[in-house]
Amino acid sequence: MDFTRIIELASYTLPAIVTGFVAYRFFELHIKNSDKKHAFLLNRDYQKQSLPIRLQAYERMTLFLERINLTKLLIRISPISPDKHDYENFVIDQIEQEFEHNLTQQIYMSEECWTIITTAKNSTIQMIRKAAMSDRVDSADKLREVILNDLLEKQSPSNAALSYIKNEVAELW
């Protein structure tokens, strides 16, 4: 084989190899872009369907936190007897029932948000128990009074959780 024959063969083969490589890269990029577009469209459709459900979960948990806000809770629930322990247990049972009613909402919100809501519930119950153990409390009405006076000095736990929910919902937009 002579040198001119090799150059002639290379002059035909090299452009074919380059063209093949460019075509391969073009189709590879086209397929990747197509996959990304498909994934984006699926994600957008998922967002359209899931956003209303997630917002409803946040609404329900906002309502829960408003209902367990001690100021509103103690006004809404009057003592069933003069005994402070009966009233303490009754109010705590109301909080627990409300929480159990909304338990399934946790699948629609972040783990951190759910933890904050649970912490607010537990802190509210702890405030009730702590006030009931106080020496100055001897009746259900006195328990209400002590809890409400304590709330004048500090913020209700549900208010902090409500602020977190508002921030998380704002991030959805």
Side-chain angles (χ1 to χ4, degrees), residues 16-119:
I17 291 173
V18 170
T19 305
F21 178 74
V22 169
Y24 173 78
R25 290 291 294 154
F26 173 76
F27 285 118
E28 182 182 47
L29 289 173
H30 176 73
I31 289 171
K32 282 183 182 178
N33 286 338
S34 178
D35 288 346
K36 285 181 183 178
K37 181 180 177 183
H38 182 69
F40 171 77
L41 292 174
L42 284 175
N43 192 25
R44 189 180 69 185
D45 288 343
Y46 170 73
Q47 293 273 342
K48 279 182 186 177
Q49 294 171 359
S50 70
L51 185 63
I53 295 170
R54 290 186 70 197
L55 287 175
Q56 184 180 26
Y58 286 112
E59 288 171 1
R60 288 190 57 179
M61 294 318 295
T62 299
L63 180 61
F64 165 73
L65 290 169
E66 287 291 339
R67 289 181 60 82
I68 69 164
N69 184 325
L70 279 172
T71 308
K72 296 173 184 171
L73 185 67
L74 295 176
I75 292 172
R76 189 175 71 249
I77 300 174
S78 55
I80 54 174
S81 76
D83 183 47
K84 70 178 183 177
H85 295 294
D86 288 345
Y87 186 60
E88 170 192 4
N89 292 331
F90 184 64
V91 172
I92 291 171
D93 286 345
Q94 294 297 311
I95 293 171
E96 291 292 350
Q97 285 176 7
E98 188 81 28
F99 183 73
E100 288 173 9
H101 180 72
N102 290 299
L103 203 55
T104 58
Q105 302 308 311
Q106 66 183 303
I107 62 174
Y108 300 111
M109 47 187 53
S110 71
E111 185 70 31
E112 186 177 358
C113 185
W114 185 255
T115 302
I116 289 172
I117 291 168
T118 306
T119 303

